[in-house]
Amino acid sequence: YLTINKGTRDGITKDMGVICSQGVVGIVSTVSEKYALVVPIIHQKISLSCRLKSNGQMIGTNWDGRDYRIVSLTEIPRHVSVYQGDTIVTSGLTPIFPEGIMVGIVDHTILNEGDNYHNTHMKLSTNYKTLKYVQVLHNANADIKLDQE
């Protein structure tokens, strides 16, 4: 977890996205008046909705708890082309992160005979060891409530 020195008095609320100059950092989970707790995307309970920038293919992320720099990419079907060096960005399908924020670069991918999905790993763009400053995102569209009858 990460703690930031901004809280409710600064307009921070639960489920806001957190980014840095390198890309996605995490999601606000708990907020007090002066501080907020952020769950980084390198948490085993976080799955981020992403896209392959090259072809728009929807994918998810999953961290195995081993290396803070690497996450697995999930749900990349066999027929989709994915290559080392491909860019991964946020999908924009949730109100937490807008579309197109950098997440990482494909580190390696393996497609074994008979597998339906690629076994792919991504190197995260955010370096958590040197992380100092972050930005908290407010999505005004997330506040819109539709009348339901």
Side-chain angles (χ1 to χ4, degrees):
Y1 294 90
L2 307 165
T3 303
I4 59 174
N5 63 348
K6 299 292 178 190
T8 55
R9 73 177 185 180
D10 304 294
I12 307 299
T13 60
K14 185 177 188 245
D15 295 329
M16 286 181 144
V18 179
I19 62 171
C20 67
S21 61
Q22 300 165 326
V24 173
V25 173
I27 301 168
V28 174
S29 67
T30 306
V31 186
S32 70
E33 183 181 351
K34 296 180 182 179
Y35 298 96
L37 193 63
V38 177
V39 179
I41 62 171
I42 53 169
H43 191 285
Q44 292 175 324
K45 293 184 180 181
I46 298 286
S47 179
L48 191 63
S49 174
C50 301
R51 289 186 191 272
L52 277 166
K53 190 173 182 181
S54 61
N55 60 23
Q57 175 66 40
M58 294 293 302
I59 53 179
T61 64
N62 182 27
W63 187 58
D64 64 10
R66 291 187 207 161
D67 188 333
Y68 72 93
R69 300 166 297 178
I70 304 291
V71 298
S72 297
L73 298 176
T74 60
E75 304 162 12
I76 304 176
R78 169 177 211 78
H79 69 277
V80 173
S81 297
V82 58
Y83 302 101
Q84 183 177 0
D86 281 351
T87 300
I88 309 299
V89 296
T90 53
S91 68
L93 292 181
T94 67
I96 297 173
F97 296 103
E99 183 177 3
I101 296 176
M102 181 71 166
V103 181
I105 301 290
V106 172
D107 185 54
H108 70 274
T109 187
I110 299 168
L111 183 59
N112 296 315
E113 191 68 37
D115 285 353
N116 290 324
Y117 295 93
H118 292 264
N119 180 1
T120 305
H121 291 89
M122 167 181 64
K123 183 172 183 186
L124 294 169
S125 59
T126 298
N127 183 343
Y128 288 92
K129 291 280 188 184
T130 61
L131 187 61
K132 190 170 181 179
Y133 296 104
V134 298
Q135 294 177 311
V136 181
L137 304 176
H138 174 72
N139 182 349
N141 293 331
D143 295 336
I144 297 172
K145 304 288 187 222
L146 299 177
D147 289 334
Q148 300 206 0
E149 295 181 23

